[in-house]
Amino acid sequence: MQMTLRWYGSKYDTVTLKQIRQIPGVTGVISTLYGTAPGEVWELADILALKKEIENAGLSLAGIESVNIHDAIKVGSPDRDMYINNYITTLERLGQAGIHMVCYNFMPVFDWTRTELARMRPDGSTVLAYTQEAVDALDPEKMFDSIAGEMNGTVMPGWEPERMARVKELFALYKDMDDEKLFANLKYFLERIMPTCDKYNINMAIHPDDPAWSVFGLPRIIINKKNILRMMQMVDNPHNGVTFCSGSYGTNLDNDLPDMIRSLKDRIHFAHVRNLKFNTPTDFEEAAHLSSDGTFDMYEIMLALYDIGFTGPIRPDHGRMIWDEVAMPGYGLYDRALGATYLNGLWEAIEKQHL
């Protein structure tokens, strides 16, 4: 595996490449052209400039998270082929730049949902948190307003103000969408892009829906073992794979995370590893990566990745906000650095146990 950290670019991230370079065992970053809109074609010069900046800092650009999917593709509107053609052009340019992994998601309206961005934990750290009761009490059009004051002046992916200003329009767009229609539109998209992925050896790694159940009545399909195996079988190509995010799949306690990993051998192209602490099955908060701080056995998750021969990029996912750091919630430096070191320690121990 290659330990990485997500980095949003020098214009948007409070964390610098110099700081990331100093985290023991972190050799790459996962990044994106954060200023681009869904459906927009990425310029090769911009991709190469991003890659050069990262490499000049002594790191590698291990993959892209995300090349966002335009809503026309998700709902299957008449103009979807235009946006798919744009996506294919972007993939071609990524391939020409030597980038071979793209994380993306197929979630309607909200890329992810949390009801708190700064829940205080007993140790004084703050974390992202979710309660279904809070969601049930909210008007979905007011969802952004409920968390906007906790973003620490940053623009969070999936919650860009210009997108949130269109929430009412987006809900209308998806009003007739159900799981089967969303699966069909995902299949159409994947079938269109796979020839380009084959040509440039680009692994498409779909990110699970978060949380792993319907929110505000919107369909969510990348939520469990059954559905992810269905997705891979319907477009049976090794480049059609997954981002295994323990924190997203783990929102549903019925998901057996190590078993899911072992069922996805050779199709996990990217891994997000983090821990959650559950207060009830529908009230969870993001914990430190350490197993004892949350609900998941992080050793078993890392062991499962080792057992399937996982060699792709991995990153510690959302961290706590600690030591008075002010940053994008979940994406500060300090706790993610601790998480990367902890996960590397687990991996070293597992490797030595198997010598």
Side-chain angles (χ1 to χ4, degrees):
M1 67 160 190
Q2 180 187 15
M3 186 60 68
T4 66
L5 217 67
R6 190 173 188 180
W7 182 67
Y8 289 97
S10 52
K11 292 182 180 179
Y12 302 97
D13 210 315
T14 58
V15 180
T16 67
L17 291 172
K18 179 181 178 180
Q19 290 170 325
I20 294 171
R21 179 69 178 84
Q22 294 171 8
I23 303 170
V26 173
T27 61
V29 299
I30 303 294
S31 194
T32 190
L33 295 183
Y34 196 30
T36 56
E40 185 178 342
V41 174
W42 290 19
E43 297 298 330
L44 179 58
D46 294 337
I47 297 168
L48 292 172
L50 175 68
K51 186 179 181 185
K52 183 179 181 188
E53 181 183 10
I54 292 165
E55 290 176 347
N56 285 347
L59 297 160
S60 69
L61 178 53
I64 295 294
E65 183 182 352
S66 301
V67 181
N68 288 321
I69 310 290
H70 194 276
D71 290 295
I73 299 173
K74 296 178 187 178
V75 301
S77 62
D79 56 346
R80 67 176 171 181
D81 283 318
M82 177 187 75
Y83 289 109
I84 293 174
N85 289 338
N86 288 353
Y87 204 99
I88 288 171
T89 300
T90 294
L91 290 179
E92 289 172 341
R93 292 175 178 175
L94 290 170
Q96 291 161 9
I99 297 166
H100 301 291
M101 192 284 293
V102 173
C103 172
Y104 70 104
N105 76 72
F106 220 72
M107 285 182 260
V109 184
F110 302 114
D111 278 8
W112 52 271
T113 308
R114 293 292 182 272
T115 53
E116 299 166 70
L117 302 184
R119 178 183 288 183
M120 183 74 72
R121 303 194 76 214
D123 61 5
S125 63
T126 59
V127 294
L128 308 178
Y130 179 97
T131 58
Q132 187 61 45
E133 293 76 12
V135 169
D136 292 342
L138 274 175
D139 176 345
E141 293 181 35
K142 303 295 183 182
M143 184 71 200
F144 178 74
D145 297 338
S146 72
I147 61 171
E150 299 179 339
M151 290 183 177
N152 295 332
T154 64
V155 178
M156 299 191 70
W159 293 86
E160 295 83 2
E162 59 272 20
R163 179 174 176 79
M164 292 300 99
R166 298 175 52 236
V167 165
K168 185 174 182 178
E169 175 190 339
L170 289 170
F171 267 89
L173 192 65
Y174 286 95
K175 66 181 176 63
D176 295 323
M177 187 63 55
D178 59 21
D179 287 6
E180 290 305 311
K181 291 178 182 176
L182 198 58
F183 259 120
N185 293 337
L186 175 58
K187 182 175 186 287
Y188 184 89
F189 167 71
L190 288 170
E191 288 176 339
R192 283 288 316 279
I193 69 169
M194 280 298 112
T196 303
C197 294
D198 291 339
K199 180 178 178 180
Y200 290 99
N201 191 28
I202 296 174
N203 288 325
M204 296 298 297
I206 195 167
H207 190 282
D209 300 350
D210 190 352
W213 57 76
S214 176
V215 177
F216 299 125
L218 295 165
R220 293 204 157 182
I221 57 176
I222 308 301
I223 58 173
N224 55 30
K225 179 178 175 179
K226 176 185 175 182
N227 283 19
I228 197 66
L229 291 176
R230 174 183 173 180
M231 187 212 78
M232 291 192 298
Q233 289 163 2
M234 74 185 188
V235 182
D236 191 9
N237 184 307
H239 291 114
N240 175 30
V242 306
T243 295
F244 193 88
C245 179
S246 63
S248 296
Y249 283 125
T251 56
N252 185 339
L253 289 169
D254 291 334
N255 285 334
D256 182 333
L257 301 179
D259 173 70
M260 289 179 71
I261 291 170
R262 290 187 172 93
S263 74
L264 297 169
K265 181 177 171 59
D266 298 326
R267 300 293 277 273
I268 297 178
H269 299 318
F270 184 29
H272 295 175
V273 181
R274 59 182 164 93
N275 206 350
L276 297 177
K277 177 178 174 58
F278 282 82
N279 301 305
T280 73
T282 56
D283 179 337
F284 59 83
E285 58 196 49
E286 299 188 351
H289 286 77
L290 190 72
S291 295
S292 60
D293 197 51
T295 300
F296 305 149
D297 188 326
M298 305 301 280
Y299 170 84
E300 291 296 337
I301 290 170
M302 295 298 284
L303 177 61
L305 288 168
Y306 179 89
D307 285 346
I308 65 168
F310 176 72
T311 59
I314 184 173
R315 68 172 178 85
D317 207 2
H318 306 161
R320 302 167 300 149
M321 209 55 65
I322 62 173
W323 302 337
D324 300 319
E325 185 177 18
V326 178
M328 183 187 296
Y331 286 98
L333 171 66
Y334 305 139
D335 201 42
R336 286 191 299 154
L338 293 175
T341 303
Y342 172 64
L343 297 176
N344 270 330
L346 288 176
W347 192 264
E348 179 182 351
I350 291 166
E351 283 187 320
K352 289 183 175 177
Q353 287 171 348
H354 289 78
L355 288 176

